[in-house]
């Protein structure tokens, strides 16, 4: 896509900042926002527009078919550490444009929506 306003992947190709993600969501960019945490974590706090697919489903390969065609996968967890493993799985499966949210949902709360709870 030649329109840089909807460019999802950053230059290094691995992480996206909360502010960049917010801008993309506000613009309606074609992303698939995936929370890889556990259901009990999802119940505490989540980023609007995300869907929950726990990490174990990515690691065993069962979640790969759920990735939405034509959308860039953006993974997040609590602080960004768990998503690195999921990012590797997605990229190995051919989703070269997949990225993860730098700092996870904690960074999202701190930088974008401090009204949300943190744990």
């Amino acid at each position: 896509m030649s329109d840089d306003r909807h460019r999802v992947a950053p230059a290094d190709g691995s992480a996206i900042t909360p502010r960049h993600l917010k801008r993309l969501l506000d613009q309606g960019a074609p992303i698939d926002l995936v929370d890889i945490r556990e259901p009990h974590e999802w119940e505490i706090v989540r980023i609007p527009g995300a869907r929950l697919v726990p990490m174990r489903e990515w690691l065993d390969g069962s979640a790969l078919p759920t990735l939405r065609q034509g959308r860039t996968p953006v993974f997040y967890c609590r602080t960004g550490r768990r998503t690195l493993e999921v990012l590797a799985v997605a990229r190995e499966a051919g989703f070269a444009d997949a990225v993860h949210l730098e700092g996870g949902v904690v960074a999202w709360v701190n930088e974008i929506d401090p009204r949300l709870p943190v744990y």
Side-chain angles (χ1 to χ4, degrees), residues 4 13 17 22 31 40 60 64 73 75 78 82 93 95 97 107 114:
D4 282 346
T17 66
K22 172 77 166 113
I31 64 172
H40 69 275
D60 72 15
L64 284 169
F75 300 105
R78 182 175 179 268
R82 286 179 275 180
F95 291 90
D97 60 344

Side-chain angles (χ1 to χ4, degrees), residues 24-66:
L24 292 167
L25 291 171
D26 289 348
Q27 294 171 347
I31 64 172
D32 185 6
L33 185 58
V34 183
D35 185 328
I36 66 151
R37 299 172 303 146
E38 294 299 316
H40 69 275
E41 294 174 287
W42 168 265
E43 291 303 319
I44 296 169
V45 62
R46 69 191 76 133
I47 297 173
R51 62 191 181 97
L52 176 66
V53 183
M55 182 176 179
R56 70 184 170 279
E57 296 177 28
W58 295 102
L59 298 181
D60 72 15
S62 64
L64 284 169
T66 71

Side-chain angles (χ1 to χ4, degrees), residues 64-82:
L64 284 169
T66 71
L67 285 175
R68 298 176 177 161
Q69 294 299 320
R71 296 188 168 274
T72 299
V74 177
F75 300 105
Y76 76 90
C77 62
R78 182 175 179 268
T79 62
R81 291 187 179 161
R82 286 179 275 180

